[in-house]
Amino acid sequence: MIELSPSDWVAIRLTLKLGLYTTGILLAIGTPLAWWLASGRSPLRTAVQSIVALPLVLPPTVLGFYLLLLLGPRGWIGGSLEAIGLTHLAFTFTGILIASVIYSMPFAVQPLFQAFTALGRRHVEVAASLGAGPIDRFFTVILPLTRGGFIIAATLSFAHTLGEFGAILMIGGSIPGRTKVLSVLIYDHAEAMNYTAAHQLSLLLLAFAFLVLFIVYAVNRRFDTVRP
Amino acid sequence: MNLEITARLQHGAFTLDVNNTFPLQGVTALFGRSGCGKTTLLRIIAGLEHPRGARVCYGDQTWQGGGDFVPLAKRRIGLVFQEHSLLPHRNVRGNLEYGYKRTPPNLRRLHLPEVCELLGISPLLDRRIDQLSGGERQRVALGRALLCSPQLLLLDEPLAALDTQTKREIMPFLVRLSREAHVPILLVTHVPDEVERLADRVAFMHDGRVQRIEELHDALTRPDSPLFDEEGPVSVLEGTLSAPDAEGLCRFESGNVALHVLDPGGTRDSRLQRLRIRGRDVILALKDPEAISVVNRLPVTVEAVHSGASGESLVISRLSNGQALLALITTSSLRRLGLTEGSPCIALIKSLALHQPGRGEEGR
């Protein structure tokens, strides 16, 4: 029933790659950031929390536009890269990866922040008194007790990256195999009046999105009831 | 072993300002009302708060000061909180072994079997944490802290979250631990009863400062002792308790002084016990009234008399074994009997008034 063309497969592979990379980077950045937000005492926390949440309210095009300015050949970052003999990042996979990471940041940080806030500091302090250093504490206390938060953060980051459109189009354009992800391809198909192809991919994304949300809520419920 | 602390910490309107040396043999109670800074001080000792410029030295180890900071994980401190500190994703054994496994083998002095025996937690080893009662949880938390073979044990109101019954159940374990584990203990509490049963020494805290640090016996012979604020004056006698006789009375012997008390039940321990005697339960008589139901009639010598404004007088007297016995009587009776320094008299104490365990814990 569903027949995918080779270019569809290219886009699917690219989209999954983007999703996996984004999720990995977000967990690596988001975990210390959320921990700092949940337990730090810096007066900067509110400002940082607001910046992280910005993509929730900004149109993705605004984010993409500024990234284009920043990462493009004349931009502060893109220009510097050119100056040292590298290429700028507009219309590249790295460019859309940076956009995805920023764009999906709140979806990783928020669940982790909530999980760390709910965990509190008691167990971590006890583990420290029992001789566990910071990394030991993370793997033997924090991670097992906030598993639910990590699962939610990972699935939401991944799923949200798949749903990204505006920011990618602005910074990445529509280059097959490099920046043309599923959402962009669907747009292209629809523009070309190729509704059957657009429909197949849309249905695929719809089913996937439902599955992800279902997992998130199931995990939420399970951890709500298991944890006293 | 001495613990030296110099620290100043501002939390809104509250200021902690401490510059003290705590001798830490045995059990030292950190006593004061809620909000006086006891827990904050404990957290500074543990390194969980590290105010700028503070200095914390334990023996010859500098834990904080002069740019050095030893994190809690390296201080080898056992920490027990009020409640809910067991790791919920590990069972009892997993919790007990968490610290043990992280203690270098050459520093391990205490091992699982003896700690389980000491705290009576052997039957619980394979239980999940949510299958434990509040008292069992605290015993496991104590055991877990001990299994790190800590050089200092910090107990932050370990009984505060427990009901009266459970406190009674745990108190004997704490007493045993304090005598047998050979670890200096700093016990944060606002309950005089816990100080009187457990402490060798007490540091009085008020409004962010440590006002004085004194031996328990000195703190208990001072009429204005903060320990007397709630329940009035209390004496603590140390002695041994024998098995109950046919009528259910146990003999409490302290030097050449013997009292009779009702069988406290529970596990009997022939070693040193403490007997709390409330000043208001002591009657003074000039002659021994033999035809009376009171069993305990002890000769004492009045050492000091303090008459308060409320019509009550505190009579501090010495038993023949040298321990102090405090009696709270009306100033009117004091005059009628003509008691002054050096007067011999007889102290009468009902056995029922001495009923252990945990008189005075009711209603808390």
Side-chain angles (χ1 to χ4, degrees), chain B residues 167-182:
Chain B
K167 273 184 202 169
R168 288 180 183 175
E169 167 200 318
I170 285 211
M171 189 56 90
F173 289 107
L174 269 177
V175 172
R176 270 181 85 178
L177 185 153
S178 65
R179 305 228 176 94
E180 295 175 29
H182 303 295

PDB file of all heavy atoms in Angstrom, chain B residues 167-182:
ATOM      1  N   LYS B 167       9.774   5.598  68.530  1.00  0.00           N
ATOM      2  CA  LYS B 167      10.926   6.202  69.204  1.00  0.00           C
ATOM      3  C   LYS B 167      11.402   5.296  70.329  1.00  0.00           C
ATOM      4  O   LYS B 167      12.593   5.069  70.499  1.00  0.00           O
ATOM      5  CB  LYS B 167      10.520   7.542  69.831  1.00  0.00           C
ATOM      6  CG  LYS B 167      10.631   8.695  68.897  1.00  0.00           C
ATOM      7  CD  LYS B 167      10.306   9.970  69.630  1.00  0.00           C
ATOM      8  CE  LYS B 167       9.906  11.005  68.635  1.00  0.00           C
ATOM      9  NZ  LYS B 167       9.341  12.193  69.221  1.00  0.00           N
ATOM     10  N   ARG B 168      10.429   4.765  71.090  1.00  0.00           N
ATOM     11  CA  ARG B 168      10.784   3.875  72.197  1.00  0.00           C
ATOM     12  C   ARG B 168      11.486   2.642  71.697  1.00  0.00           C
ATOM     13  O   ARG B 168      12.379   2.113  72.340  1.00  0.00           O
ATOM     14  CB  ARG B 168       9.514   3.434  72.929  1.00  0.00           C
ATOM     15  CG  ARG B 168       8.925   4.530  73.727  1.00  0.00           C
ATOM     16  CD  ARG B 168       7.692   4.010  74.417  1.00  0.00           C
ATOM     17  NE  ARG B 168       7.067   5.066  75.146  1.00  0.00           N
ATOM     18  CZ  ARG B 168       5.909   4.936  75.773  1.00  0.00           C
ATOM     19  NH1 ARG B 168       5.263   3.798  75.722  1.00  0.00           N
ATOM     20  NH2 ARG B 168       5.396   5.939  76.417  1.00  0.00           N
ATOM     21  N   GLU B 169      11.049   2.186  70.508  1.00  0.00           N
ATOM     22  CA  GLU B 169      11.609   0.975  69.941  1.00  0.00           C
ATOM     23  C   GLU B 169      13.056   1.233  69.489  1.00  0.00           C
ATOM     24  O   GLU B 169      13.923   0.378  69.610  1.00  0.00           O
ATOM     25  CB  GLU B 169      10.692   0.572  68.775  1.00  0.00           C
ATOM     26  CG  GLU B 169      11.206  -0.472  67.826  1.00  0.00           C
ATOM     27  CD  GLU B 169      10.447  -0.400  66.504  1.00  0.00           C
ATOM     28  OE1 GLU B 169       9.205  -0.232  66.524  1.00  0.00           O
ATOM     29  OE2 GLU B 169      11.112  -0.485  65.446  1.00  0.00           O
ATOM     30  N   ILE B 170      13.325   2.437  68.990  1.00  0.00           N
ATOM     31  CA  ILE B 170      14.646   2.725  68.429  1.00  0.00           C
ATOM     32  C   ILE B 170      15.650   3.179  69.469  1.00  0.00           C
ATOM     33  O   ILE B 170      16.845   2.921  69.360  1.00  0.00           O
ATOM     34  CB  ILE B 170      14.511   3.827  67.363  1.00  0.00           C
ATOM     35  CG1 ILE B 170      13.894   3.225  66.129  1.00  0.00           C
ATOM     36  CG2 ILE B 170      15.846   4.426  67.029  1.00  0.00           C
ATOM     37  CD1 ILE B 170      14.335   3.870  64.888  1.00  0.00           C
ATOM     38  N   MET B 171      15.157   3.859  70.516  1.00  0.00           N
ATOM     39  CA  MET B 171      16.061   4.452  71.490  1.00  0.00           C
ATOM     40  C   MET B 171      17.107   3.466  72.008  1.00  0.00           C
ATOM     41  O   MET B 171      18.302   3.789  72.035  1.00  0.00           O
ATOM     42  CB  MET B 171      15.234   5.064  72.622  1.00  0.00           C
ATOM     43  CG  MET B 171      16.030   5.889  73.582  1.00  0.00           C
ATOM     44  SD  MET B 171      16.956   7.219  72.809  1.00  0.00           S
ATOM     45  CE  MET B 171      15.800   8.550  72.867  1.00  0.00           C
ATOM     46  N   PRO B 172      16.702   2.236  72.400  1.00  0.00           N
ATOM     47  CA  PRO B 172      17.719   1.312  72.905  1.00  0.00           C
ATOM     48  C   PRO B 172      18.808   1.007  71.881  1.00  0.00           C
ATOM     49  O   PRO B 172      19.979   0.840  72.242  1.00  0.00           O
ATOM     50  CB  PRO B 172      16.928   0.039  73.218  1.00  0.00           C
ATOM     51  CG  PRO B 172      15.505   0.452  73.304  1.00  0.00           C
ATOM     52  CD  PRO B 172      15.349   1.663  72.446  1.00  0.00           C
ATOM     53  N   PHE B 173      18.439   0.982  70.591  1.00  0.00           N
ATOM     54  CA  PHE B 173      19.439   0.728  69.550  1.00  0.00           C
ATOM     55  C   PHE B 173      20.420   1.891  69.472  1.00  0.00           C
ATOM     56  O   PHE B 173      21.619   1.700  69.304  1.00  0.00           O
ATOM     57  CB  PHE B 173      18.768   0.529  68.186  1.00  0.00           C
ATOM     58  CG  PHE B 173      18.015  -0.761  68.085  1.00  0.00           C
ATOM     59  CD1 PHE B 173      16.631  -0.779  68.094  1.00  0.00           C
ATOM     60  CD2 PHE B 173      18.694  -1.968  67.995  1.00  0.00           C
ATOM     61  CE1 PHE B 173      15.933  -1.968  68.005  1.00  0.00           C
ATOM     62  CE2 PHE B 173      18.005  -3.159  67.905  1.00  0.00           C
ATOM     63  CZ  PHE B 173      16.620  -3.165  67.918  1.00  0.00           C
ATOM     64  N   LEU B 174      19.879   3.107  69.585  1.00  0.00           N
ATOM     65  CA  LEU B 174      20.756   4.280  69.545  1.00  0.00           C
ATOM     66  C   LEU B 174      21.710   4.276  70.736  1.00  0.00           C
ATOM     67  O   LEU B 174      22.887   4.601  70.613  1.00  0.00           O
ATOM     68  CB  LEU B 174      19.916   5.559  69.576  1.00  0.00           C
ATOM     69  CG  LEU B 174      19.505   6.132  68.227  1.00  0.00           C
ATOM     70  CD1 LEU B 174      18.617   7.356  68.436  1.00  0.00           C
ATOM     71  CD2 LEU B 174      20.727   6.513  67.412  1.00  0.00           C
ATOM     72  N   VAL B 175      21.170   3.893  71.897  1.00  0.00           N
ATOM     73  CA  VAL B 175      22.005   3.840  73.097  1.00  0.00           C
ATOM     74  C   VAL B 175      23.131   2.832  72.893  1.00  0.00           C
ATOM     75  O   VAL B 175      24.302   3.115  73.151  1.00  0.00           O
ATOM     76  CB  VAL B 175      21.152   3.468  74.338  1.00  0.00           C
ATOM     77  CG1 VAL B 175      22.044   3.212  75.537  1.00  0.00           C
ATOM     78  CG2 VAL B 175      20.148   4.564  74.640  1.00  0.00           C
ATOM     79  N   ARG B 176      22.775   1.663  72.357  1.00  0.00           N
ATOM     80  CA  ARG B 176      23.790   0.632  72.112  1.00  0.00           C
ATOM     81  C   ARG B 176      24.826   1.123  71.126  1.00  0.00           C
ATOM     82  O   ARG B 176      26.028   0.946  71.312  1.00  0.00           O
ATOM     83  CB  ARG B 176      23.128  -0.613  71.514  1.00  0.00           C
ATOM     84  CG  ARG B 176      22.669  -1.590  72.549  1.00  0.00           C
ATOM     85  CD  ARG B 176      22.051  -2.782  71.899  1.00  0.00           C
ATOM     86  NE  ARG B 176      23.048  -3.787  71.511  1.00  0.00           N
ATOM     87  CZ  ARG B 176      22.697  -4.929  70.949  1.00  0.00           C
ATOM     88  NH1 ARG B 176      21.431  -5.203  70.702  1.00  0.00           N
ATOM     89  NH2 ARG B 176      23.619  -5.801  70.634  1.00  0.00           N
ATOM     90  N   LEU B 177      24.321   1.732  70.048  1.00  0.00           N
ATOM     91  CA  LEU B 177      25.225   2.220  69.004  1.00  0.00           C
ATOM     92  C   LEU B 177      26.217   3.215  69.578  1.00  0.00           C
ATOM     93  O   LEU B 177      27.408   3.167  69.310  1.00  0.00           O
ATOM     94  CB  LEU B 177      24.359   2.852  67.919  1.00  0.00           C
ATOM     95  CG  LEU B 177      24.987   3.365  66.639  1.00  0.00           C
ATOM     96  CD1 LEU B 177      23.929   3.298  65.554  1.00  0.00           C
ATOM     97  CD2 LEU B 177      25.452   4.779  66.766  1.00  0.00           C
ATOM     98  N   SER B 178      25.689   4.121  70.417  1.00  0.00           N
ATOM     99  CA  SER B 178      26.570   5.163  70.944  1.00  0.00           C
ATOM    100  C   SER B 178      27.648   4.578  71.845  1.00  0.00           C
ATOM    101  O   SER B 178      28.730   5.116  71.962  1.00  0.00           O
ATOM    102  CB  SER B 178      25.745   6.206  71.692  1.00  0.00           C
ATOM    103  OG  SER B 178      25.158   5.624  72.833  1.00  0.00           O
ATOM    104  N   ARG B 179      27.335   3.437  72.480  1.00  0.00           N
ATOM    105  CA  ARG B 179      28.328   2.839  73.382  1.00  0.00           C
ATOM    106  C   ARG B 179      29.269   1.893  72.674  1.00  0.00           C
ATOM    107  O   ARG B 179      30.411   1.741  73.058  1.00  0.00           O
ATOM    108  CB  ARG B 179      27.610   2.034  74.470  1.00  0.00           C
ATOM    109  CG  ARG B 179      26.599   2.865  75.199  1.00  0.00           C
ATOM    110  CD  ARG B 179      26.758   2.705  76.697  1.00  0.00           C
ATOM    111  NE  ARG B 179      25.814   3.590  77.341  1.00  0.00           N
ATOM    112  CZ  ARG B 179      24.612   3.188  77.730  1.00  0.00           C
ATOM    113  NH1 ARG B 179      24.255   1.939  77.576  1.00  0.00           N
ATOM    114  NH2 ARG B 179      23.787   4.044  78.285  1.00  0.00           N
ATOM    115  N   GLU B 180      28.752   1.196  71.636  1.00  0.00           N
ATOM    116  CA  GLU B 180      29.512   0.081  71.084  1.00  0.00           C
ATOM    117  C   GLU B 180      30.180   0.353  69.750  1.00  0.00           C
ATOM    118  O   GLU B 180      31.093  -0.358  69.369  1.00  0.00           O
ATOM    119  CB  GLU B 180      28.597  -1.147  70.944  1.00  0.00           C
ATOM    120  CG  GLU B 180      28.141  -1.644  72.303  1.00  0.00           C
ATOM    121  CD  GLU B 180      27.134  -2.769  72.181  1.00  0.00           C
ATOM    122  OE1 GLU B 180      27.177  -3.507  71.185  1.00  0.00           O
ATOM    123  OE2 GLU B 180      26.297  -2.894  73.086  1.00  0.00           O
ATOM    124  N   ALA B 181      29.708   1.369  69.032  1.00  0.00           N
ATOM    125  CA  ALA B 181      30.267   1.557  67.685  1.00  0.00           C
ATOM    126  C   ALA B 181      31.606   2.295  67.714  1.00  0.00           C
ATOM    127  O   ALA B 181      32.334   2.285  66.738  1.00  0.00           O
ATOM    128  CB  ALA B 181      29.275   2.294  66.801  1.00  0.00           C
ATOM    129  N   HIS B 182      31.920   2.925  68.819  1.00  0.00           N
ATOM    130  CA  HIS B 182      33.191   3.643  68.969  1.00  0.00           C
ATOM    131  C   HIS B 182      33.422   4.656  67.855  1.00  0.00           C
ATOM    132  O   HIS B 182      34.491   4.739  67.271  1.00  0.00           O
ATOM    133  CB  HIS B 182      34.363   2.674  69.055  1.00  0.00           C
ATOM    134  CG  HIS B 182      34.201   1.690  70.171  1.00  0.00           C
ATOM    135  ND1 HIS B 182      34.184   2.070  71.497  1.00  0.00           N
ATOM    136  CD2 HIS B 182      33.987   0.363  70.165  1.00  0.00           C
ATOM    137  CE1 HIS B 182      33.993   1.011  72.249  1.00  0.00           C
ATOM    138  NE2 HIS B 182      33.859  -0.036  71.470  1.00  0.00           N
TER     139      HIS B 182
END
